[in-house]
């Protein structure tokens, strides 16, 4: 029987192809070897996932001895835990524990699960990977944590704002500490002695203290709200700018909702820091002062109160690990739920055309149910923890009342002293409990900080294409664009897409790239546009980055007007240039017939336009930049023959260098030279006249 020696740390996958890498990181952590998932992804990751053989290579690289086994379900009982199971023919999970009727697995996509033996039998494919430490024992690889400042940058005004909040809050705490002393005075002096004049003085003092306390609460609330809003704006702006400057490949590996969710992590960190940081300082300081005063009241009673606090800290610490793990699962499920809902709405045409509303809703409901269950587990843990804390506080209350009443009856204390102690004790326990909770909250921020670390560890895309792509500019071939022995693949585990591609494009030349689908044509255009970096080789672009424009297959229009989309939201667009670019793109007359002309709203992603209209507006956007190098990837695939001929004629008349991917014969015939890609290599160069008698992945209109 597989026995669990200790509870494993869950490592959820952040990318769809990370399941195997996450499982390996979890297995390593079982042997106290810490491996950064991002490090694994950089060295061994693949856009299409990893195989069992790759996982064995990873284990060996980190000092483990791997064993890949093929076994039946009954044989799993004899294996040493934990181990990696191949799951549902497309996934990897960690088997943490197994009994004759149930199995405990960690699915890197959803977290820890308990399943029946029947479900295990249904999903388990028979492949098992186990590892054990080798000789010498494997060592942990330290994770390079970036500080929050590295991600968000400097924040203006943070020290001054926090200082104001701290002063106001400190004054409020001083007023609160004086309340027990006033109450003790009322009971021991006013009521006992019957001093009405003193009662008037104390009453006026209480009234003034109450009013002053209200003003301080309002002032502190205003200062916290202002600081929180200001910092959230600055930090969110810095993080979003950082995200937008990341390489294009980063976004290819993640869903849009997963990337944008980093901003929610900023919000969580900001809220904790601006509110909890001040409270921690004050609760720690004034809690210590209150404890000293409690000791002056009575050491016996103070001992009971401190013992209660120790018990509360132990309970909250025990619950912290579980809450952190469940918090990570809840965030992960929330991202998946939002991503699928967004995907369903964006693909509503496909959903309705295929009558798939029920299926799509069912899949979303599955993700939503997992998120709800994760939230429920967190709420249940918090409720149980809170109930246990209340029990401890209640027992302490009973003990203090009993012992304090005994002291009053024995003449060792007055009734006012007991009441004063009870009031001050409540303040102390409230501050100490809040301090404990806030410290735990700070530790839970590691989940959000790690999500920001994911973007901080990525290399920012170079702002200058030539500096990034051309290693030795003087040796590059002259021309607008040249590739020199360029190789490309997405990761070390992926096949080569481009293999030693070399060519040069002269100024003013028109070059068509043809070949079968999947041959690397779009990848070549993206490398030329600076979206992807070559794995090997050199690229030279002979014009300024601002003079390179492109229209790619998956380009988008933004929610805004036609004019804003063509000018890409320029503050003062050139109206004459807008019109001329629209005419050259064969969309000018149609725009004039739009309800508001160039001020017509196009909807999100151009939802109010046809496919051909979108492409022509995208082309107008590229021409508006007055580019010297134009890169086109199937930029006229949605146009009818007449509009396509018009676009070709307009572009041919312009003094602009064009490199374009096309499958239509008429479009290709407009080129002065043809590059044919076969198996990621340039097979031959042909003239457009020869193409008329040849076919290689070309269709006619």
């Amino acid at each position: 029987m597989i026995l669990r020696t200790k509870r494993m740390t869950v490592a959820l996958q952040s990318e769809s192809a990370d399941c195997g890498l996450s499982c390996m990181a979890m297995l390593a952590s079982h042997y106290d070897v810490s491996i950064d998932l991002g490090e694994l992804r950089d060295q061994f990751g693949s856009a299409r996932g990893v195989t069992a053989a790759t996982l064995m290579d990873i284990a060996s690289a980190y000092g483990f001895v791997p064993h890949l086994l093929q076994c039946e379900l009954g044989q799993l009982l004899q294996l040493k835990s934990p181990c990696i199971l191949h799951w549902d023919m497309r996934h990897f999970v960690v088997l943490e524990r197994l009994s004759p009727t149930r199995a405990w697995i960690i699915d890197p996509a959803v977290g820890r699960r308990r399943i029946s033996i029947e479900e295990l039998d249904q999903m388990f494919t028979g492949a098992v990977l186990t590892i054990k430490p080798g000789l010498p024992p494997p060592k942990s690889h330290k994770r390079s944590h970036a500080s929050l400042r590295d991600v968000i940058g400097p924040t203006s005004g943070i020290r001054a704002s926090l200082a104001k909040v701290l002063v106001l809050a400190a004054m409020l705490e001083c007023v609160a500490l004086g309340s027990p002393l006033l109450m003790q005075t009322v009971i021991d002096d006013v009521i006992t002695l019957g001093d009405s004049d003193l009662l008037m003085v104390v009453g006026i003092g209480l009234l003034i203290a109450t009013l002053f306390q209200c003003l301080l609460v309002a002032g502190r609330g205003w200062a916290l709200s202002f600081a929180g809003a200001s910092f959230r704006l600055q930090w969110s702006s810095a993080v979003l700018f950082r995200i937008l400057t990341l390489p294009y490949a980063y976004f290819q590996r993640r869903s849009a909702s997963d990337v944008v969710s980093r901003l929610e992590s900023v919000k969580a960190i900001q809220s904790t820091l601006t509110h909890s940081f001040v409270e921690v300082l004050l609760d720690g300081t004034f809690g210590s002062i209150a404890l000293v005063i409690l000791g002056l009241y009575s050491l016996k009673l103070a001992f009971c109160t401190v013992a209660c606090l120790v018990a509360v800290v132990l309970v909250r610490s025990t619950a912290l690990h579980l809450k952190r793990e469940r918090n990570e699962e809840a965030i992960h499920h929330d991202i998946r739920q939002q991503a699928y809902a967004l995907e369903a709405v964006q693909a509503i045409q496909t959903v309705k055309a295929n009558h798939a509303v029920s299926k799509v809703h069912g899949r979303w409901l599955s993700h939503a149910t997992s998120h709800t269950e994760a939230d429920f587990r967190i709420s249940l843990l918090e409720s149980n923890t809170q109930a246990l804390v209340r029990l401890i506080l209640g027992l302490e209350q009973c003990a203090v009342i009993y012992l304090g009443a005994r002291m009053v009856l024995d003449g060792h204390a007055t009734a006012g002293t007991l009441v004063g102690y009870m009031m001050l004790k409540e303040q102390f326990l409230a501050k100490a409990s809040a301090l404990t909770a806030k410290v735990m909250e700070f530790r839970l921020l590691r989940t959000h900080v790690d999500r920001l670390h994911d973007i901080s560890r990525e290399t920012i895309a170079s702002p200058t294409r030539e500096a990034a792509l051309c290693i030795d500019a003087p040796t590059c071939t002259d021309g607008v664009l040249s590739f020199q022995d360029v190789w490309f693949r997405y990761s070390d585990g992926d096949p080569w897409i481009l293999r030693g591609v070399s060519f040069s494009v002269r100024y003013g030349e028109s070059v068509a790239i043809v070949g079968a689908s999947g041959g690397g044509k779009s990848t070549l255009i993206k490398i030329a546009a600076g979206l992807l970096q070559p794995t090997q080789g050199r690229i030279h672009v002979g014009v300024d980055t601002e003079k390179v424009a492109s229209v790619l297959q998956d380009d988008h229009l933004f929610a805004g007007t036609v004019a804003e989309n063509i000018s890409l939201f320029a503050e003062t667009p050139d109206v004459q240039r807008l019109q001329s670019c629209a005419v050259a793109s064969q969309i000018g007359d149609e725009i004039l017939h739009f309800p508001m002309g160039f001020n017509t709203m196009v909807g999100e992603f151009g939802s109010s336009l046809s496919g051909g209209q979108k492409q022509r507006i995208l082309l107008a956007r590229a021409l508006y930049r007055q580019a010297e190098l134009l890169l086109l990837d199937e930029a006229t695939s949605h146009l009818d023959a007449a509009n396509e001929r018009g676009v070709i004629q307009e572009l041919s008349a312009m003094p602009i260098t064009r490199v374009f991917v096309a499958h239509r014969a008429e479009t290709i015939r407009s080129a002065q030279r043809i590059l044919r890609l076969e198996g990621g290599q340039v097979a031959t160069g042909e003239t457009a006249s020869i193409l008329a008698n040849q076919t290689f992945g070309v269709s006619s209109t």
Side-chain angles (χ1 to χ4, degrees):
M1 178 178 179
I2 294 184
L3 299 176
R4 182 182 63 176
T5 56
K6 62 180 180 180
R7 189 176 179 88
M8 291 183 62
T9 301
V10 176
L12 297 177
Q13 62 190 72
S14 59
E15 300 178 10
S16 58
D18 276 355
C19 62
L21 302 181
S22 296
C23 289
M24 182 55 64
M26 286 187 279
L27 240 64
S29 70
H30 174 77
Y31 294 101
D32 298 321
V33 177
S34 177
I35 302 177
D36 183 16
L37 184 57
E39 178 184 318
L40 285 179
R41 187 186 305 121
D42 291 341
Q43 295 185 16
F44 304 98
S46 168
R48 296 178 175 86
V50 297
T51 64
T54 304
L55 293 180
M56 294 183 67
D57 293 339
I58 295 173
S60 300
Y62 282 91
F64 292 99
V65 179
H67 295 282
L68 183 61
L69 308 172
Q70 190 72 29
C71 64
E72 300 295 331
L73 180 61
Q75 296 173 297
L76 284 178
L77 294 169
Q78 310 302 322
L79 297 180
K80 183 179 179 181
S81 68
C83 54
I84 298 177
L85 304 183
H86 190 227
W87 198 252
D88 196 24
M89 303 302 296
R90 58 179 181 176
H91 196 46
F92 290 103
V93 300
V94 173
L95 177 62
E96 189 177 19
R97 188 157 57 109
L98 183 65
S99 75
T101 59
R102 293 177 181 176
W104 286 259
I105 66 170
I106 304 178
D107 187 335
V110 298
R112 190 173 260 110
R113 296 176 57 200
R114 185 179 65 179
I115 63 175
S116 65
I117 202 70
E118 290 77 17
E119 183 178 354
L120 175 64
D121 187 30
Q122 180 183 359
M123 305 299 287
F124 175 48
T125 65
V128 183
L129 177 64
T130 64
I131 64 172
K132 63 180 181 180
L135 293 175
K139 297 181 179 180
S140 294
H141 290 241
K142 289 187 177 181
R143 185 173 182 176
S144 56
H145 287 291
S147 67
L148 188 61
R149 186 181 180 87
D150 293 335
V151 180
I152 63 176
T155 305
S156 61
I158 186 169
R159 293 183 179 179
S161 297
L162 289 180
K164 294 176 183 177
V165 174
L166 195 61
V167 170
L168 290 171
M171 295 172 66
L172 184 63
E173 294 294 337
C174 290
V175 174
L177 282 177
S179 298
L181 298 177
L182 288 175
M183 184 58 66
Q184 180 180 352
T185 302
V186 170
I187 295 175
D188 288 344
D189 296 333
V190 175
I191 296 178
T192 303
L193 301 178
D195 192 338
S196 58
D197 293 334
L198 181 58
L199 175 61
M200 179 64 67
V201 173
V202 173
I204 294 174
L206 285 172
L207 179 61
I208 294 174
T210 301
L211 293 175
F212 188 55
Q213 191 174 20
C214 292
L215 291 175
L216 289 176
V217 168
R220 186 182 67 168
W222 178 88
L224 278 174
S225 299
F226 177 80
S230 175
F231 301 156
R232 187 185 307 130
L233 178 61
Q234 293 184 58
W235 294 352
S236 298
S237 174
V239 170
L240 181 59
F241 182 79
R242 172 82 185 194
I243 290 174
L244 294 177
T245 56
L246 293 177
Y248 175 71
Y250 176 88
F251 299 92
Q252 289 185 304
R253 301 193 302 261
R254 291 167 174 81
S255 66
S257 58
D258 180 43
V259 175
V260 175
S261 67
R262 268 62 177 178
L263 297 178
E264 291 299 316
S265 293
V266 172
K267 182 179 178 180
I269 294 173
Q270 171 270 317
S271 178
T272 300
L273 291 183
T274 53
H275 291 79
S276 301
F277 176 74
V278 174
E279 293 177 7
V280 164
L281 288 179
L282 294 175
D283 289 341
T285 302
F286 287 92
S288 300
I289 296 175
L291 180 59
V292 172
I293 299 176
L294 289 176
L296 295 177
Y297 270 107
S298 170
L299 289 177
K300 183 187 296 184
L301 297 180
F303 177 80
C304 292
T305 302
V306 171
C308 168
L309 177 61
V310 172
V312 169
V313 171
L314 290 176
V315 169
R316 292 191 184 278
S317 298
T318 303
L320 175 64
H321 177 74
L322 286 175
K323 187 174 181 180
R324 179 189 297 168
E325 183 179 294
R326 294 176 184 181
N327 192 43
E328 290 178 356
E329 292 182 15
I331 292 174
H332 184 74
H333 288 308
D334 187 36
I335 292 172
R336 288 169 62 88
Q337 170 192 246
Q338 293 182 29
Y340 193 77
L342 179 62
E343 183 182 47
V345 172
Q346 290 176 340
I348 190 64
Q349 175 178 301
T350 303
V351 172
K352 288 186 172 295
N354 290 276
H355 307 286
V357 172
S358 298
K359 293 180 180 179
V360 170
H361 179 262
R363 290 190 62 189
W364 174 86
L365 187 60
S366 175
H367 295 305
T369 301
S370 297
H371 177 236
T372 302
E373 290 174 350
D375 275 345
F376 174 74
R377 288 193 293 270
I378 293 176
S379 300
L380 189 62
L381 177 63
E382 291 178 344
S383 298
N384 292 338
T385 303
Q386 191 63 29
L388 191 54
V389 168
R390 285 182 178 274
L391 175 62
I392 295 172
L393 293 176
L395 293 175
E396 184 270 346
Q397 182 88 336
C398 294
V400 169
I401 291 176
Y402 176 81
L403 294 175
R406 271 289 178 191
M407 293 173 63
V408 173
L409 293 176
D410 294 340
H412 299 304
T414 64
T417 301
L418 178 59
V419 172
Y421 179 89
M422 294 295 293
M423 292 182 63
L424 187 61
K425 182 261 299 183
E426 292 298 328
Q427 289 189 28
F428 168 72
L429 287 179
K431 295 181 186 305
S433 297
L435 177 62
T436 303
K438 295 303 179 183
V439 171
M440 304 301 175
E441 190 176 330
F442 277 126
R443 295 181 65 182
L444 286 175
L445 283 182
R446 172 54 56 192
T447 301
H448 295 286
V449 173
D450 285 345
R451 291 180 60 75
L452 293 182
H453 174 69
D454 180 60
I455 64 173
S456 69
R457 65 184 299 276
E458 291 282 342
T459 303
I460 296 178
S462 175
T464 56
R465 187 192 321 275
E466 188 165 333
L469 300 181
C470 191
I471 300 174
D472 188 9
T475 66
C476 290
T477 306
D478 292 333
V480 178
L481 176 68
S482 66
F483 277 50
Q484 297 183 6
D485 194 27
V486 171
W487 294 67
F488 177 82
R489 59 181 175 183
Y490 283 99
S491 68
D492 292 342
D494 286 328
W496 290 103
I497 297 176
L498 297 181
R499 300 169 176 269
V501 173
S502 297
F503 68 89
S504 180
V505 180
R506 298 182 297 274
Y507 286 93
E509 190 177 15
S510 175
V511 176
I513 302 174
V514 301
S517 297
K521 303 184 299 298
S522 295
T523 300
L524 187 148
I525 291 293
K526 289 179 180 179
I527 292 176
L531 295 176
L532 298 175
Q533 302 294 315
T535 307
Q536 299 176 21
R538 300 175 179 175
I539 300 174
H540 171 69
V541 179
V543 297
D544 186 75
T545 305
E546 296 298 322
K547 293 298 182 180
V548 179
S550 62
V551 179
L552 306 180
Q553 290 187 31
D554 49 1
D555 276 352
H556 291 290
L557 295 177
F558 298 96
T561 66
V562 174
E564 288 172 336
N565 272 278
I566 294 177
S567 65
L568 210 54
F569 296 89
E571 293 185 5
T572 55
D574 188 325
V575 177
Q576 186 175 357
R577 200 198 312 173
L578 282 174
Q579 295 173 346
S580 62
C581 292
V583 170
S585 302
Q586 306 299 301
I587 192 71
D589 291 339
E590 294 181 43
I591 292 177
L592 295 179
H593 288 87
F594 286 170
M596 301 296 292
F598 280 90
N599 293 318
T600 301
M601 301 295 293
V602 303
E604 187 177 18
F605 299 133
S607 58
S608 64
L609 303 175
S610 69
Q613 289 173 329
K614 292 178 188 177
Q615 279 197 326
R616 283 175 284 166
I617 291 178
L618 290 171
L619 182 58
R621 174 197 292 173
L623 296 177
Y624 184 86
R625 295 182 59 182
Q626 297 180 314
E628 297 179 17
L629 174 60
L630 185 61
L631 305 171
L632 307 174
D633 187 3
E634 295 285 358
T636 59
S637 59
H638 294 301
L639 272 58
D640 57 78
N643 278 320
E644 185 176 27
R645 281 194 296 271
V647 168
I648 292 174
Q649 291 174 1
E650 290 286 347
L651 293 179
S652 298
M654 294 179 181
I656 184 173
T657 305
R658 285 183 294 143
V659 179
F660 60 90
V661 172
H663 285 94
R664 290 182 177 178
E666 185 170 354
T667 306
I668 299 173
R669 289 192 185 97
S670 67
Q672 297 170 324
R673 186 158 55 98
I674 298 168
L675 297 176
R676 177 156 53 97
L677 282 182
E678 287 185 357
Q681 297 177 314
V682 178
T684 184
E686 304 285 356
T687 63
S689 59
I690 295 177
L691 175 64
N693 299 318
Q694 295 186 0
T695 302
F696 19 78
V698 178
S699 63
S700 60
T701 57

